[in-house]
Each structure stands twice: as structure tokens, then as C-alpha cells.
Amino acid sequence: MAHGASSVEAVDSRENKGGGQELSQGRLFWRGMQQMMPIAAAGVLDGLVFGILARHAGLSLFETMLLTLLVNAGSSQFAAVGLISQGIVGWPLLVSTLLINARQLLYGLSLGPAFRNLPVWKLSIMAGQVNDETYALKSTYLAQGGKPSMAYFMGAGFGDYAIWHSCVFAGAMLGTAFTGTEQYGLDFAFIATFLGFLALNLTSSFTIKTAVVAAGAACLGYWMFGLTSSVVMGTVAAMLMGVFSRER
């Protein structure tokens, strides 16, 4: 989920272009982390809410942190916890996570050519720190003429990683103190979160059509097979719209 992506314009291209002053690896790491902070800070509330909701979905503190550390993708983490809270586990959980995170493949294809000479183990480390926010910064850095730098990318990834997971941990700790989530409206947070994601992306006739088709497929799946199938059918319908439609 992208939040505060416009802050990537703060990249100082003069020092990162080939004709400017060369920066040390340490300074590039620090610069990447600095420029990531305004973007990552926009996710503080999301991290807190996720931690709270994960605990109320029945996950332990260890399970909550393991989920966020390994998946590191806010939208699919919220989706997973939402399914778990409804008692849906197993293959529907895996399929929905795979489909929601399929866009990461496109991020990798976009950034990969700039790092084609790096060994696979370094690329694997960098890939683990790519999400919507870090991709927005890193792609803009390259588009503005920045030299491909693993140090810069790792600094940006570390900044985002530290803020997000710290907030999730704080939320998970707070989750033990909140006993009446309905009283604060947190039981509606899953729905409200994804309604917000949807509203932000309804920017064209194509996205509106995709939302309608996915909603229809989800309703059909719920009517025919129940809640589990509705999630998968809705997600697959949206994905197929993106694959086969020429409209954007």
C-alpha cells in the first residue's frame, strides 16, 4: 500500500548523477534511509492498527512479528489477518497472499535491469526490502539519473523496515490492553482499511469496472460456496481484468 509516495521528489539528483560528486557507500546508505523516512512515517498508524488487529485475530506476539517480518507487505498482511479472524486458513490464505503480492514481480522486473551484474544472493536481500513505498522511492531515484547503488537501496529498505515493524510491535503490545475492540470501532478496521484502498484506486473507468466485476465475483462465490471461495473468486476476477483488458 503506497502512502506518501509524492515525497520521493526530494531525491537530490545532483549528488547522485554521474557528473556530480561521488558519495561513499555509507553516505549513500544514510541518504537512502533519510529520504525514505517521510514516506515510511505515513505508515505509522497502519502499523499500529495492524499489530492490534493481529492480536485480536488470535495471533500471539511471536506469530504477529513473524508474519510481518517474513511477508513485509502491508496490504496482504491486512488481508491475511482479516481471513484468519474469520477462521479462514490454508490454501485460500496462501492464494490470496500470492495474488495480492503478484505486483512485486513487476517491481522486480522494473528494478532488476539496473542490477543485472549483482550476484543472486545480493539481489535476494534487496528483493526482501521491496514494497510499494520503497519501490516508489527507488524507481524515482533511478529515473532521475541516480547510479544503481545497493547501499542506497538497502538504506531506504532499512528505514522503511525499521519504522513499519517497530509500529507493528507497538501495536501488538497495545493489542493485549484493548479488550473491547468493538467499543473503539476496531472490529470494522479491516473493512474500512480496504474500502480506503479501493477508494484511492478508483481513478478511472477501468478501475471502477474492475471493482464492480470483482465485487460481483465475490458475491457469486459467497452465494455458491461460502466466504472462503468469495475471497479467492473476487481476487482472481480482478487479476483477470488486469491481464486481459486493453483498457486502462
Side-chain angles (χ1 to χ4, degrees):
M1 51 185 173
H3 32 247
S6 62
S7 298
V8 298
E9 296 176 357
V11 175
D12 185 356
S13 59
R14 290 178 301 172
E15 291 187 347
N16 293 316
K17 289 183 179 178
Q21 178 184 359
E22 293 291 334
L23 297 178
S24 68
Q25 295 299 299
R27 288 188 65 191
L28 280 169
F29 181 91
W30 180 244
R31 180 174 293 278
M33 187 163 60
Q34 281 182 314
Q35 293 175 348
M36 191 67 225
M37 288 301 176
I39 305 173
V44 169
L45 182 60
D46 290 335
L48 290 171
V49 170
F50 173 78
I52 293 172
L53 294 177
R55 296 304 303 273
H56 284 278
L59 298 181
S60 66
L61 177 61
F62 175 78
E63 290 168 336
T64 298
M65 294 311 299
L66 187 64
L67 172 62
T68 191
L69 288 167
L70 293 180
V71 178
N72 192 32
S75 55
S76 60
Q77 289 178 221
F78 273 100
V81 170
L83 293 175
I84 292 171
S85 69
Q86 300 294 321
I88 301 174
V89 294
W91 69 269
L93 185 62
L94 295 175
V95 170
S96 64
T97 301
L98 175 64
L99 294 177
I100 292 172
N101 282 346
R103 68 191 185 284
Q104 303 287 344
L105 177 62
L106 302 179
Y107 294 167
L109 290 172
S110 173
L111 297 173
F115 296 93
R116 60 171 59 93
N117 295 324
L118 286 183
V120 173
W121 70 270
K122 289 186 177 181
L123 292 175
S124 299
I125 294 174
M126 293 173 65
Q129 294 187 338
V130 174
N131 54 32
D132 296 339
E133 293 76 29
T134 58
Y135 173 74
L137 178 67
K138 295 170 181 179
S139 61
T140 302
Y141 167 83
L142 292 174
Q144 292 183 345
K147 288 185 176 181
S149 167
M150 183 176 180
Y152 179 88
F153 277 34
M154 292 298 293
F158 180 80
D160 179 72
Y161 209 72
I163 290 180
W164 172 254
H165 298 307
S166 297
C167 293
V168 170
F169 179 78
M173 295 298 292
L174 287 173
T176 59
F178 283 100
T179 56
T181 54
E182 295 83 0
Q183 178 182 351
Y184 301 98
L186 292 179
D187 57 320
F188 186 70
F190 289 118
I191 299 173
T193 297
F194 283 97
L195 286 177
F197 292 157
L198 177 63
L200 290 173
N201 286 280
L202 295 179
T203 56
S204 66
S205 60
F206 172 72
T207 55
I208 293 174
K209 291 174 184 176
T210 301
V212 171
V213 170
C219 290
L220 180 63
Y222 183 79
W223 178 66
M224 294 178 63
F225 306 110
L227 182 61
T228 299
S229 296
S230 71
V231 174
V232 176
M233 289 181 63
T235 305
V236 170
M239 180 189 69
L240 293 177
M241 282 287 290
V243 170
F244 293 108
S245 177
R246 296 181 178 272
E247 183 182 0
R248 287 294 181 273

